[in-house]
Amino acid sequence: MNIILFDGNEYSDLLPLTFTRPVAELRMGILTFTERWKKILQTEKVSFLTRKYLSAKYPVCIEDNNWFINPAYFPNLELILSIKNLQKGESLFSEGELIASNLSYEDFISRNFGRKVEISPGSFHIQYPWDLFSYNRQAISYDFSLITQGRNSLQLSDTVKIIGDPSRIFVEEGVLAEHVILNTREGEIYLGKNAEIMEGSMIRGSLVMCEGAKIHMGSKVYGGTTIGPYSKIGGEVNNVVITGYSNKGHEGFLGNSVLGEWCNLGADTNSSNMKNNYAEVKCWNYTKQGFIKTGLQFAGLIMGDHSKAAISTQFNTGTVVGVSANIFVAGFPPHLIKSFSWGGKSESPLFQINKAFEVAERAMMRRGAELTETDKQILTYIYEELI
C-alpha cells in the first residue's frame, strides 16, 4: 500500500501547531499520527499531501495505487478494515467529510472521489489543538497495546515504588529510574528508550516518556501526559502533550496544554488552566480569526514551535502562542501571542527573522540537531506570508 496522509479541513483549525508540520506529524499518545499508521498498516511507504510551503520537507510519493488517509480521524478496528477494504475508485466518507480514498493522484486532486462509501467510524476526531490533550488518555492506552503486544518489558530498579498493576508499566532499553513512585491505577506508564525519571518524582498514569525524555527531581506528573522525544519537565504537570525537544524543566504548573517542538518555559512559568468563574474556556481559532468556545472547563497553553517564555511568565487560561515568539515582558501576556512576537504583548514588535534563526540554531545544536535551509524557508514563509 502506498499511503498518503493528507491534510483535511482540520489543518487550519490545528494552527499554530501545523504552521510547521502536516497534521500527520502531530503527536498524541506515544506516537505521531504518521508513526501510528505505519505500525497499523505495517509499511514504511508513507508520505504527505500538505501545504506547498511544507512540501519540500514533507514530500508526497505518488504511485499507480494510492491510499489517501486523513490522519485527523483516530484509528479503530472498524476504520482500519474499512480503509483496507476500499476498492480502486472508492472513497470513505463520514457525515460528508472525506476520511480515505483509493484513487489515482489525478482523481484525488481533482476531487473525483468515485464511489462514495459512508461509515460511522466510531473513533474520535482531532479538529482543534485542545483535542490532542483531551483525547490523550485514550491515545496512550491504544498505543500502549499497539507497541507492547507480544513484547517483554525490562525490569525497573527495586527502589521504584509501584502502586497498582505492574503489568501496566512498559520499560524500554536504557531507562533510568531510582526512588520514584509510579501509580498505574488510572492508566498505563510507557518509559521509552533512554528515558530518565530523577529521584523523588511522583508519577500517576497514564504517562508516556518518549526516547531520551527526562523528568527532573521531585516532579509531580498527573495522567494523560506525553513527554515527547528529548523533552524535559519539572514542577507540576497535568494532562500535557509535549511534541518533542521542548523543556519545562523547572518549578511551575502546566496543565491541559500542548507544546510544539523546540519550546522552552523559563523557571517558575505557570499556565492557568481554569477560569476563576469556572466558565467554559475560549481559545483563538486561526480559521475564524477569533476566539471560539472549546467546550472545556480546563484548557491551558497551546504553543507553536520554537517559542520561548522567560522566567516567571504567567499565562492566562486558554492562551495560544504562535511560532518563534519570545515572551519576556512583565504582566500577564494576552490570550493570543502572535508568531515572531518580540516581547509577547499585542503591540510588541516582530522578532527579526535572522535573530530567530540564531536562537533556533543554538537551541537545536544542544540536541545535536540542525536548522536546515528547508526549515529556514518554512519559517521565512510563515514570517512573510502568514502573520
Side-chain angles (χ1 to χ4, degrees):
M1 300 177 73
N2 182 48
I3 307 300
I4 300 173
L5 300 176
F6 70 91
D7 287 344
N9 297 327
E10 302 85 358
Y11 171 85
S12 60
D13 283 330
L14 286 163
L15 296 170
L17 302 174
T18 48
F19 271 133
T20 47
R21 62 175 59 78
V23 173
E25 288 294 271
L26 295 172
R27 184 178 301 278
M28 186 174 65
I30 300 174
L31 305 167
T32 65
F33 293 45
T34 305
E35 292 167 343
R36 187 174 298 110
W37 279 108
K38 282 182 177 181
K39 283 190 173 292
I40 290 169
L41 299 175
Q42 299 181 348
T43 181
E44 289 297 318
K45 295 175 69 175
V46 175
S47 63
F48 310 93
L49 187 57
T50 185
R51 296 302 190 269
K52 185 177 180 180
Y53 78 95
L54 295 172
S55 60
K57 185 172 182 178
Y58 302 100
V60 62
C61 176
I62 303 165
E63 296 186 2
D64 292 336
N65 294 318
N66 309 288
W67 276 260
F68 297 86
I69 300 174
N70 182 346
Y73 288 87
F74 198 87
N76 62 9
L77 183 58
E78 179 185 359
L79 181 58
I80 294 166
L81 291 176
S82 296
I83 290 173
K84 285 184 174 181
N85 290 332
L86 277 177
Q87 301 301 306
K88 184 72 173 179
E90 290 185 339
S91 295
L92 205 61
F93 282 79
S94 176
E95 298 180 349
E97 294 296 327
L98 178 65
I99 297 179
S101 296
N102 181 353
L103 297 172
S104 69
Y105 179 77
E106 291 74 21
D107 280 342
F108 187 85
I109 292 299
S110 62
R111 301 183 64 82
N112 180 18
F113 295 128
R115 179 176 175 268
K116 296 183 179 181
V117 180
E118 187 76 19
I119 68 163
S120 180
S123 64
F124 48 87
H125 176 216
I126 306 304
Q127 178 77 39
Y128 303 105
W130 47 89
D131 291 331
L132 295 171
F133 65 75
S134 296
Y135 293 115
N136 200 42
R137 284 182 181 273
Q138 295 96 310
I140 290 172
S141 184
Y142 184 96
D143 287 350
F144 189 89
S145 297
L146 182 66
I147 286 177
T148 66
Q149 187 173 16
R151 301 175 61 215
N152 294 320
S153 170
L154 297 181
Q155 296 299 307
L156 288 166
S157 165
D158 291 339
T159 68
V160 175
K161 172 64 176 177
I162 297 175
I163 302 171
D165 184 355
S167 70
R168 302 184 85 185
I169 300 173
F170 196 91
V171 182
E172 301 281 10
E173 179 184 358
V175 168
L176 297 176
E178 299 282 353
H179 296 283
V180 301
I181 300 172
L182 304 180
N183 187 333
T184 67
R185 287 179 176 170
E186 296 182 4
E188 302 88 348
I189 295 175
Y190 175 83
L191 306 179
K193 183 179 178 181
N194 297 328
E196 180 180 5
I197 309 176
M198 297 183 186
E199 54 271 23
S201 295
M202 297 177 286
I203 312 297
R204 179 172 290 231
S206 53
L207 168 76
V208 169
M209 296 183 71
C210 295
E211 182 175 350
K214 289 187 179 183
I215 296 177
H216 287 173
M217 289 193 298
S219 299
K220 300 179 287 293
V221 183
Y222 295 88
T225 292
T226 294
I227 307 169
Y230 301 97
S231 297
K232 301 176 183 179
I233 66 166
E236 184 178 2
V237 171
N238 179 24
N239 190 202
V240 168
V241 177
I242 299 178
T243 307
Y245 304 95
S246 291
N247 295 333
K248 183 238 173 277
H250 303 284
E251 295 300 319
F253 174 74
L254 182 68
N256 307 99
S257 298
V258 184
L259 303 185
E261 293 185 339
W262 308 108
C263 300
N264 188 73
L265 304 183
D268 199 34
T269 291
N270 290 276
S271 175
S272 169
N273 67 337
M274 186 179 73
K275 300 177 72 171
N276 284 353
N277 61 0
Y278 302 92
E280 178 182 353
V281 179
K282 294 181 179 180
C283 282
W284 180 262
N285 178 263
Y286 287 82
T287 304
K288 297 186 181 301
Q289 287 293 296
F291 291 92
I292 66 170
K293 294 180 178 180
T294 63
L296 302 173
Q297 191 176 64
F298 294 95
L301 174 67
I302 307 296
M303 179 176 276
D305 289 4
H306 295 290
S307 286
K308 313 285 190 291
I311 61 169
S312 299
T313 301
Q314 307 298 308
F315 287 107
N316 284 297
T317 313
T319 295
V320 175
V321 181
V323 172
S324 289
N326 199 309
I327 304 153
F328 55 81
V329 294
F332 282 89
H335 287 86
L336 171 65
I337 300 172
K338 295 181 180 180
S339 295
F340 295 95
S341 174
W342 178 252
K345 291 291 189 181
S346 300
E347 66 277 9
S348 293
L350 287 181
F351 197 179
Q352 295 179 27
I353 188 70
N354 289 334
K355 297 293 184 182
F357 290 161
E358 290 176 9
V359 173
E361 287 169 341
R362 292 184 193 124
M364 296 175 73
M365 191 182 302
R366 298 174 67 207
R367 297 284 192 277
E370 178 187 2
L371 185 73
T372 66
E373 286 304 314
T374 302
D375 293 326
K376 290 180 180 180
Q377 290 169 10
I378 290 171
L379 292 173
T380 299
Y381 185 87
I382 297 167
Y383 187 88
E384 293 179 349
E385 304 293 337
L386 300 182
I387 59 173

